[in-house]
Amino acid sequence: MSEPVLTQLTDFSCRLGEGPVWHDGAIWWVDIKNPALHRLDSGQKDGAHTRFPLPEPVGAAVPTKRGDWLVGLKSGVYRFAPETGTLTPFAMLEPEMPGNRLNDGKVDAAGRLWIGSMDDAENAPTGHFYCLTGSTPEVRPYPVNFTVTNGIGWSGDERTLYLTDSANRCIYTAPYDPETGTAGEKRVFAQLAPDEGFPDGLCLDADDHIWSCHWDGARITRYRPDGSRERVIALPVNRPTSCCFGGNNLDVLFITSAQDGAGNGGQLWALTGVKQQNNLTFASIHGVKSTLFGG
């Protein structure tokens, strides 16, 4: 079985690249600290790159059925039209918490946005998750008291929600009701040791395995649904931040990264040729198509 191939797609470095999304034949991602939404056409190194600047730190960006984007800025969630740069307020989630900002966000199969808040200084457990539904929108909090909310995803049957508190080095699961978009009590799914770094962004593949990036760990781990580790892949950057599957066959794992204290990292990467282990057919691992926000 051939080894996977890791390709650096960008020659420039984001300060804090995050939140990759495959949409409209391109890979999109954000730079939190040098605020912008980025697009790389075709997800190839020679694809056209476009940077759409934003006025505040941006934790997440998700496409919508209306054709625009929702972006989670420090002050709240906004509708964003990249072609014009127009921002329209959508949901101001924590106006009474000026020390907080919004971080990771994902859309469930029904088109609801789940997005987390966090202490911008990464010291206090003031972060919670919010579920946003509809064009008004309806906002439903899911209190967790995390320091760094991160790593959101759902199982294939939509019955399990995955949530991450990076500062606590822990990935959690919670029972999820796909009809109502409500989550039950969380429990520990995976706990990282201090020498493994911090769990950051994650995604799920079509086999219900979880791919989680290790900030300050220079690796990405694939977990089985029972929480055991199926494989660990070393990466050439110390701070991989998040990942998603994309490409025409959803068999390319795109990985964002951040600069470390020495200024290394921050590029976008593509992992290709990833195969199932212990499988005589050596079938490729695929992801699932991302969902558009429905409001």
Side-chain angles (χ1 to χ4, degrees):
M1 182 171 62
S2 60
E3 291 296 317
V5 175
L6 187 67
T7 304
Q8 181 179 322
L9 297 180
T10 57
D11 294 324
F12 64 90
S13 296
C14 291
R15 286 181 60 191
L16 179 46
E18 263 285 6
V21 179
W22 178 259
H23 174 65
D24 194 25
I27 186 68
W28 303 70
W29 73 104
V30 300
D31 186 345
I32 296 177
K33 297 296 186 181
N34 188 12
L37 175 64
H38 291 262
R39 171 183 171 135
L40 181 65
D41 287 348
S42 74
Q44 301 285 336
K45 186 176 178 63
D46 59 358
H49 167 253
T50 310
R51 180 180 183 272
F52 305 96
L54 290 163
E56 300 174 12
V58 51
V62 298
T64 79
K65 288 185 176 180
R66 286 177 36 163
D68 59 0
W69 288 71
L70 290 185
V71 292
L73 303 185
K74 178 174 172 57
S75 60
V77 180
Y78 293 77
R79 287 195 178 276
F80 179 54
E83 65 278 4
T84 63
T86 303
L87 283 167
T88 305
F90 185 67
M92 304 298 103
L93 297 179
E94 294 179 340
E96 76 287 359
M97 300 285 289
N100 273 13
R101 68 167 175 83
L102 296 179
N103 202 39
D104 204 359
K106 291 280 181 69
V107 177
D108 74 2
R112 310 177 188 95
L113 172 64
W114 274 71
I115 191 165
S117 65
M118 59 171 281
D119 175 25
D120 204 10
E122 301 182 17
N123 293 322
T126 56
H128 304 294
F129 288 96
Y130 296 87
C131 176
L132 278 61
T133 307
S135 58
T136 306
E138 176 189 347
V139 179
R140 183 188 303 119
Y142 180 71
V144 288
N145 295 109
F146 286 0
T147 301
V148 180
T149 56
N150 231 322
I152 308 167
W154 290 266
S155 59
D157 65 3
E158 306 171 40
R159 296 290 177 181
T160 301
L161 170 66
Y162 294 89
L163 302 166
T164 302
D165 184 358
S166 295
N168 197 34
R169 303 182 194 268
C170 194
I171 304 172
Y172 296 88
T173 62
Y176 193 72
D177 184 342
E179 299 299 322
T180 63
T182 54
E185 185 176 353
K186 70 182 187 303
R187 64 173 180 83
V188 173
F189 173 75
Q191 181 75 60
L192 270 62
D195 63 353
E196 296 178 307
F198 302 84
D200 205 318
L202 61 75
C203 71
L204 277 83
D205 60 33
D207 297 300
D208 252 8
H209 284 55
I210 299 89
W211 295 77
S212 174
C213 293
H214 293 230
W215 173 280
D216 280 346
R219 73 195 78 171
I220 187 168
T221 296
R222 187 184 192 225
Y223 294 94
R224 299 180 182 89
D226 64 5
S228 61
R229 302 187 188 203
E230 189 267 349
R231 75 183 71 179
V232 177
I233 298 175
L235 299 174
V237 287
N238 195 40
R239 290 179 172 175
T241 56
S242 192
C243 55
C244 78
F245 282 91
N248 293 335
N249 298 315
L250 295 175
D251 58 355
V252 180
L253 186 67
F254 294 99
I255 304 169
T256 51
S257 65
Q259 295 180 21
D260 59 21
N264 300 314
Q267 302 89 2
L268 177 70
W269 300 81
L271 187 66
T272 56
V274 185
K275 307 288 186 180
Q276 293 285 7
Q277 294 180 350
N278 301 320
N279 185 329
L280 294 179
T281 63
F282 300 130
S284 296
I285 294 175
H286 293 77
V288 293
K289 187 176 181 180
S290 60
T291 309
L292 302 178
F293 178 75

